[in-house]
Every structure is written in structure tokens, then in C-alpha cells.
Amino acid sequence: MKIIGIADTTFARFDMGGAAADELKRNGTGFKIIRCTVPGIKDLPVACKKLIEEQNCDIVIALGMPGPKDKDKMCAHEASQGLIQAQLMTNTHIIEVFVHEDETSDSKTLAFLADRRAREHALNAYNLLFRPDDLAKSAGKGLRQGFDDAGPIR
């Protein structure tokens, strides 16, 4: 049985980890979920690495919601760099799912975006594990997670 890790934060203003877990349970089988919630976005890289190395996760979804300030953006960049390092150190995919608070000024739209992006990336993680050919069929389609798809250039 495959194991999907979900790492999220208490700093986020929406339960993105819950949305990702719900989407996985509604759309797939053959796996179990292990969730780890940490205080902030810079805690995600070690949480993901521990999920992979100590909990034997086959893939991890890292969810966070950086704030709108310059310091928040810097922390998100540092966390992203750490997630990339953790992927390379473990040879395991970590799907980074960040929703920046300044992507919209409306709280309802922000909640919609956080929910949709978490759910769409949860399906991406599932497809990486169980249906990689489905991802290949979508190459070059301009798919986006959260807001509307951009579509292909042609």
C-alpha cells in the first residue's frame, strides 16, 4: 500500500491539509494518508523529509499560506528552497502547494483558491503515484491549480 504524506501549517488561514485529504479519499484508493501539521512554512521541509524517511511516504504534499509582507515572501522562498533540497535528498516528490495571501484581497476568494489549489494538487500527487500516464496526456495544456487554466498556446 502506498503512503501519501500531507504536511501543513497552523499559520495558514485555511485548512488546506484537510481539503487535500478529503479530495484524496473521495477520488482514490490503495493508499493511506499520514498528516503532519507544523507551526510555519519554514517548518515544512523537515516535516516532509521526516514523513518520507521516518513514515515511509511515497509522496508528500506540502501546503502553506505565506502572508503578504516582504518578510513572508522571503520565508516562502526559503521554504521552497528547503522543499527542493528535501526532494533531492530523498529522491521523492514533494508537491509544493502555496497560496499567497496577496493573490486576492477578498477572503472568500482566498478560501476558494486555497481549497481548490489543495484539492487539484492532491489529485496531481495521486496521479504521480498511480496514473503517471494521465499527467503525460495533459502536458502542454496550460493547466493551473487554483484559478482558471491558461490553456495551450496553440
Side-chain angles (χ1 to χ4, degrees):
M1 176 173 286
K2 300 281 187 179
I3 304 173
I4 300 175
I6 294 177
D8 62 346
T9 73
T10 61
F11 186 86
R13 297 177 58 205
F14 185 88
D15 183 8
M16 296 169 66
D22 177 65
E23 192 68 20
L24 286 166
K25 290 174 188 173
R26 289 181 359 168
N27 288 286
T29 60
F31 61 89
K32 81 175 195 176
I33 296 169
I34 298 177
R35 185 172 176 180
C36 175
T37 303
V38 295
I41 202 160
K42 291 188 295 184
D43 301 307
L44 287 173
V46 71
C48 292
K49 188 171 181 287
K50 288 177 76 157
L51 282 167
I52 293 163
E53 293 181 346
E54 297 174 10
Q55 300 295 324
N56 300 311
C57 290
D58 296 287
I59 195 165
V60 177
I61 307 165
L63 304 119
M65 186 178 279
K69 297 180 181 174
D70 286 343
K71 182 176 183 166
D72 300 319
K73 293 177 189 310
M74 181 180 292
C75 288
H77 180 265
E78 291 168 353
S80 183
Q81 293 294 313
L83 291 170
I84 291 167
Q85 283 184 323
Q87 288 184 83
L88 295 171
M89 291 169 70
T90 62
N91 202 30
T92 303
H93 285 286
I94 299 171
I95 306 299
E96 178 184 311
V97 186
F98 289 175
V99 174
H100 296 259
E101 281 191 48
D102 59 0
E103 288 187 62
T104 179
S105 60
D106 177 64
S107 62
K108 286 184 182 180
T109 305
L110 186 62
F112 166 82
L113 178 61
D115 183 67
R116 186 168 169 188
R117 190 168 290 163
R119 290 177 183 280
E120 290 180 351
H121 274 301
L123 294 177
N124 284 338
Y126 182 84
N127 286 339
L128 272 169
L129 279 182
F130 295 102
R131 299 186 297 227
D133 290 342
D134 285 1
L135 289 173
K137 292 175 190 172
S138 295
K141 301 253 173 107
L143 302 181
R144 302 293 188 263
Q145 288 71 40
F147 290 126
D148 292 339
D149 294 339
I153 296 171
R154 299 184 216 192

